[in-house]
Amino acid sequence: MANYLADNDDLLFYLERGIDWSPITAVVEQDYQSPGGYASRDEAVSAYTDILQMVGTFAAEEVAPHAAAIDRKGVKMQDGEAVLPPEMDAIFAEIKKLDLHALSLPRELGGVNCPMIVHFMVTELLARGDVSVMAHYNFHSGIALSLLMYSVQEGTTRFDRSTRSIAATRFSAEIAEILRGDAFGSMDITEPDAGSDMGALKSKGERDEHGNWFVSGQKIFITSGHGKYHIVIARTEPATPGKLGLDGLSLFLVPAYEDLPDGTRKRHATLDRVEEKLGHEGSATAAITFDRSPAQLIGGRGDGFKLMLLLMNNARLGVGFESIGLCEAAYRLARDYAAERRSMGKTIDRHEMIADYLDEMRTDIQGLRALAMHGSVHEELAQRLKMQAMLTTEDGTLERARLLKQSRRHSHKTRKVTPLLKYLAAEKAVEMARRCVQIHGGCGYITEYGAEKLLRDAMVMPIYEGTSQIQSLMAMKDAMSNIMRNPQKFLTRIAQSRWRSLSALDPLERRVARLTAVSLSAQQHLIQRTATDKLRSLGKHNIREWSREFFQNWEPKRDFAYAMLHAERLTRLLADVAICEILLEQARQFPERRELLERYLDRAEPRCNFLHDEITTRGDRLLASLASGPADDTAARA
C-alpha cells in the first residue's frame, strides 16, 4: 500500500527526531493538564504519527489516483453556485469522516488539538497528491483556527483556569460548523485594480444607526470563494496621508449565505463567476460581490491590516509546504520515469546531466523542508505562547510579560524566514515541474503522464498569498532595517563570520561561515550604496536641513531604489544561507545530516558567489534609465 509519509525518509526524520517536540507538546497540552489530553510528549507524538501515517496513505491511495480526473473536469458554475467534480466531493466526504477539518482546533471546541506543524505536514502530503485538494482543504480548518485566534486577540474568548480549557469563544457556532465539514470559508483581499497594493482597496465597511455592520464591494481571485464564511478586509476610515492607506482598513466576518430550514439558500453575497485557470482546476477561484452584506467586525476599527498579516503569515508558510509537496511529486515522477526510460544503452537516470538534475532536485527539496520546518516550529511557539499569555494570565503580571517576550523571540525568527520560504519554495516548484517535463521529453508534453499538470499547477505558487516580488521586498526591507537599527551588531556579525570561516575546526562550519560572510558583504554593499545615494541627494537641500534629511526623511521608493533592484537576488542569497545554517545545526546534533549539508553547500556556494557579484556590480545603467524617464526605443525599432 502506497504511503507518502512512509516513503519519505526526510519527512520522517523531522517527525521522529528533527523536531524538538517537547516545548510544542507542553504548550499545546497545557503542561499535560489539558482535560482528555495526552499525558506525555511521547504519547502526543505517537498520536501525531498515527494521524500522519493515515493521511500519508489517504493522499497516496485516495487523492493522487483521482488528480487527473479532477483536473480534467474542473469546477463549474450552475444556478449561481460552484459545483466541484464528483471525485473532489467524494474525497471531502472521506476527509469529513476522518475528522481532518478539526485537526488543529482545541478539544473543548470539538477539535483534535494537534499542533499547527502537524497541519503543515498534512499540507505537504495532500499537495503531493493534488494541490487542488490541498488548497480546498486548507480553507476549512484554516478559517476556523483564524477565527479562534482573532477571538483570543480581541479578548472575546474566555479561559477556565480550573479546567485549563476554553470555556467560551465568540465564533463558536461558526467554528463548530466548519469542524463538522458542513461549511468552509475564504480570505478575501484582492480587488480589481488592487492586488498587492492593499492601500488601494475600495470595498467598504459601514455601520448603521443600530450598530450593525455591512460590507459592500467586489473581491476577485478568491480561493474557495464559493464558501460560506468570508474573512473580508474593507475600508472603514479615510486613509491618513503618508500611511499608504493601510490604517483605515478593518476586518470582517461575512457569511455569504444561510441555508434555510426548507432547504433553500438565501444569499447575502453574489458569486459572480468561477475563473477558468491554467491549473488548480479542482479548486474554485471565485469573484464575489458584497452589497450591504451583514458582517461582524473582527477586532477594532482600523486593525484590519495588522490582523490580516497574522492570517497571511500562516498562509505563506502553508504555501511553502504546498510547494514542497508539489516539488516532491515532480521529483518522484521524473526520477521514476528516468529509471525506466532507456536511451543509448542505459536508463536516462544514468546519463550525467539527468543524474545531476535529479540530485539537485532532491537536495533543494530537503533544504526547503529544513527551512519550512524551522519557520513553522517558531511560528507555532510564537502563536501558542501569545495565546497562553492572553488566556491564562492577568494583564500587567510578570508571567504575562515573560510569555509575551518568549512569543516575540519566536515571532522574530519566523518573520525572518517566512518570506524566504514562500519565495524560494514557490520558485522552485515552477523550476522542478518544468524540469520534470523536460526529463520526460515529448511524453512530458502529453497529459497522460501528468508532468504538464504539475507545471500548470506550479505556476500560481509565485503569485498567490503575496507574489515572489513582494516576498523579496519584505526580506530586503527587514535586512536593511535590521542593519540601520543596530549597525554595530551588523559589523560584529561580519567580523564573527570571517573569523569562523578561518578558525572553526569543522570544515563544514568554515564553509557555512564563508557563505554567511558573502551574504553580509552583499548586505553591506547595499546599505553603503543606499547611504551614499542619500548623501548625494543632500545637495538639493539647505545645509541646515542636511541632518534632518539624512536621519529622518527617508522615502523607500526613492532612497532604496538600488536595494529594491537587487531584492530578489538578495532573497535567494539569504535563503541559501539560512538553509545552510539550519542544516549545520542539524549536523551538529545528527551526524548523518552532514552529507545533506555538504550536498547543499556544493550547490549553494557557486550560486551565492554569483548573486554577490551581481548585487555588487550591476544596476547603475538601469537605474539611470529609470530616473531619466521612459526609454525611447524608436532607434532600436528602426
Side-chain angles (χ1 to χ4, degrees):
M1 181 179 291
N3 185 305
Y4 285 168
L5 177 68
D7 72 359
N8 192 322
D9 290 341
D10 193 55
L11 193 54
L12 283 170
F13 162 77
Y14 289 101
L15 179 59
E16 295 171 354
R17 292 178 297 156
I19 293 173
D20 182 5
W21 288 105
S22 296
I24 296 172
T25 56
V27 71
V28 169
E29 293 296 329
Q30 298 288 326
D31 291 325
Y32 310 108
Q33 301 300 311
S34 180
Y38 303 118
S40 67
R41 168 204 175 278
D42 290 346
E43 187 179 334
V45 175
S46 176
Y48 306 156
T49 302
D50 289 343
I51 290 169
L52 289 167
Q53 287 284 2
M54 175 189 70
V55 175
T57 300
F58 178 73
E61 297 285 335
E62 303 296 333
V63 176
H66 300 291
I70 291 170
D71 177 66
R72 186 171 60 252
K73 295 176 183 179
V75 182
K76 309 296 182 186
M77 279 284 286
Q78 183 176 317
D79 299 327
E81 300 289 347
V83 179
L84 301 181
E87 292 84 357
M88 183 76 106
D89 286 336
I91 287 170
F92 276 85
E94 287 300 312
I95 287 176
K96 183 176 180 179
K97 291 179 184 176
L98 295 174
D99 256 354
L100 289 182
H101 296 313
L103 200 61
S104 295
L105 274 291
R107 292 184 187 88
E108 54 268 38
L109 298 181
V112 181
N113 207 53
C114 284
M116 269 301 294
I117 194 167
V118 174
H119 174 85
F120 285 135
M121 289 182 181
V122 167
T123 294
E124 178 184 335
L125 294 170
L126 291 178
R128 183 176 158 190
D130 182 51
V131 290
S132 290
V133 171
M134 191 292 308
H136 190 44
Y137 164 75
N138 230 19
F139 280 95
H140 282 71
S141 55
I143 294 298
L145 186 61
S146 297
L147 290 175
L148 174 60
M149 293 173 69
Y150 286 144
S151 176
V152 170
Q153 189 149 325
E154 69 182 12
T156 54
T157 292
R158 183 166 54 84
F159 189 79
D160 187 332
R161 295 178 189 173
S162 63
T163 62
R164 301 179 71 88
S165 61
I166 293 173
T169 189
R170 176 185 173 189
F171 301 110
S172 58
E174 292 87 349
I175 290 171
E177 191 175 359
I178 293 171
L179 295 197
R180 292 195 304 270
D182 295 337
F184 56 92
S186 62
M187 177 174 65
D188 298 17
I189 303 175
T190 307
E191 298 179 7
D193 303 318
S196 299
D197 183 7
M198 290 181 64
L201 296 176
K202 296 178 181 177
S203 291
K204 291 184 178 180
E206 300 172 298
R207 197 176 190 181
D208 67 13
E209 64 275 16
H210 304 295
N212 301 308
W213 283 98
F214 301 89
V215 166
S216 299
Q218 187 185 47
K219 298 289 183 177
I220 62 172
F221 304 154
I222 307 303
T223 304
S224 295
H226 60 308
K228 181 174 182 178
Y229 294 113
H230 293 245
I231 295 178
V232 184
I233 192 163
R235 183 166 301 284
T236 55
E237 334 292 330
T240 301
K243 290 197 175 182
L244 304 177
L246 299 176
D247 57 321
L249 300 173
S250 300
L251 203 63
F252 296 90
L253 175 62
V254 186
Y257 60 82
E258 58 180 301
D259 290 322
L260 302 177
D262 62 3
T264 60
R265 174 169 291 181
K266 178 182 178 181
R267 273 207 161 268
H268 303 301
T270 303
L271 192 65
D272 300 325
R273 63 182 180 275
V274 172
E275 305 291 356
E276 296 184 8
K277 309 189 297 293
L278 178 67
H280 279 242
E281 294 291 355
S283 170
T285 303
I288 188 166
T289 296
F290 302 96
D291 185 6
R292 285 191 60 79
S293 303
Q296 298 180 60
L297 179 68
I298 299 174
R301 295 177 66 145
D303 288 344
F305 180 69
K306 177 181 68 176
L307 294 172
M308 186 59 73
L309 286 180
L310 173 65
L311 195 154
M312 290 191 71
N313 198 57
N314 279 317
R316 287 167 177 169
L317 285 170
V319 173
F321 279 90
E322 176 186 7
S323 298
I324 292 168
L326 191 145
C327 287
E328 192 75 51
Y331 165 65
R332 302 283 181 137
L333 192 64
R335 183 198 64 184
D336 293 349
Y337 178 83
E340 295 179 356
R341 174 75 165 91
R342 296 187 65 83
S343 176
M344 304 177 192
K346 56 184 176 183
T347 55
I348 63 173
D349 63 338
R350 308 305 299 170
H351 288 272
E352 289 77 7
M353 282 191 291
I354 303 302
D356 186 52
Y357 285 163
L358 293 170
D359 180 75
E360 184 177 35
M361 292 168 78
R362 178 172 71 108
T363 301
D364 282 346
I365 289 169
Q366 290 174 312
L368 287 170
R369 190 176 287 116
L371 190 63
M373 292 295 178
H374 175 84
S376 61
V377 164
H378 288 292
E379 177 69 9
E380 178 93 49
L381 291 171
Q383 297 303 330
R384 294 281 183 177
L385 289 167
K386 184 177 181 180
M387 188 177 294
Q388 185 177 18
M390 301 296 289
L391 289 176
T392 66
T393 66
E394 297 292 343
D395 191 20
T397 60
L398 289 176
E399 178 63 9
R400 173 170 287 196
R402 183 186 68 83
L403 291 171
L404 290 177
K405 183 178 180 180
Q406 290 180 351
S407 172
R408 286 191 297 270
R409 187 172 69 248
H410 289 293
S411 183
H412 174 75
K413 290 181 178 180
T414 192
R415 177 186 170 90
K416 180 180 177 181
V417 301
T418 296
L420 307 182
L421 172 65
K422 168 59 172 76
Y423 176 90
L424 192 59
E427 294 293 326
K428 285 293 180 180
V430 176
E431 178 185 312
M432 291 191 200
R434 160 72 177 80
R435 185 168 287 178
C436 179
V437 171
Q438 189 68 24
I439 289 173
H440 277 74
C443 294
Y445 202 67
I446 297 171
T447 59
E448 176 187 351
Y449 288 80
E452 58 82 34
K453 175 187 180 297
L454 292 176
L455 181 56
R456 288 188 289 105
D457 285 342
M459 291 300 294
V460 77
M461 303 299 186
I463 298 173
Y464 71 3
E465 305 301 352
T467 66
S468 288
Q469 290 66 43
I470 290 293
Q471 304 308 308
S472 62
L473 289 173
M474 287 174 58
M476 179 275 293
K477 176 188 170 186
D478 283 352
M480 297 297 98
S481 297
N482 288 336
I483 295 172
M484 295 176 73
R485 274 197 297 267
N486 195 338
Q488 186 59 48
K489 182 178 179 180
F490 178 72
L491 294 174
T492 300
R493 287 183 64 205
I494 293 177
Q496 289 173 340
S497 64
R498 289 175 178 169
W499 174 248
R500 284 193 301 115
S501 71
L502 298 171
S503 64
L505 296 178
D506 184 345
L508 291 182
E509 183 178 353
R510 290 199 299 270
R511 291 175 68 181
V512 174
R514 283 196 292 271
L515 214 59
T516 302
V518 168
S519 169
L520 295 173
S521 173
Q523 294 173 62
Q524 184 178 31
H525 176 80
L526 290 176
I527 203 73
Q528 287 175 339
R529 174 60 187 268
T530 299
T532 299
D533 289 346
K534 183 67 172 177
L535 284 170
R536 287 174 181 163
S537 72
L538 297 183
K540 297 180 292 185
H541 300 277
N542 186 295
I543 193 170
R544 288 174 295 183
E545 299 174 338
W546 283 9
S547 178
R548 176 173 56 84
E549 285 295 321
F550 186 79
F551 289 105
Q552 298 178 25
N553 290 352
W554 284 78
E555 170 54 51
K557 292 181 181 179
R558 177 194 67 215
D559 298 324
F560 285 86
Y562 191 82
M564 287 193 288
L565 173 66
H566 291 292
E568 283 200 72
R569 297 182 181 97
L570 179 63
T571 300
R572 285 181 175 269
L573 207 166
L574 292 171
D576 266 342
V577 171
I579 289 169
C580 288
E581 290 176 343
I582 293 165
L583 292 178
L584 177 61
E585 287 301 312
Q586 291 182 8
R588 287 169 174 158
Q589 189 174 0
F590 307 102
E592 69 272 21
R593 300 293 281 182
R594 290 178 64 85
E595 182 270 340
L596 168 57
L597 173 58
E598 189 168 6
R599 268 193 288 122
Y600 200 90
L601 279 166
D602 289 345
R603 302 284 180 178
E605 285 166 335
R607 283 196 301 246
C608 291
N609 287 323
F610 176 74
L611 289 165
H612 175 274
D613 289 347
E614 285 202 308
I615 290 170
T616 55
T617 60
R618 290 181 55 184
D620 288 337
R621 181 186 57 80
L622 178 60
L623 289 177
S625 69
L626 291 173
S628 63
D632 184 357
D633 62 349
T634 304
R637 290 199 304 271

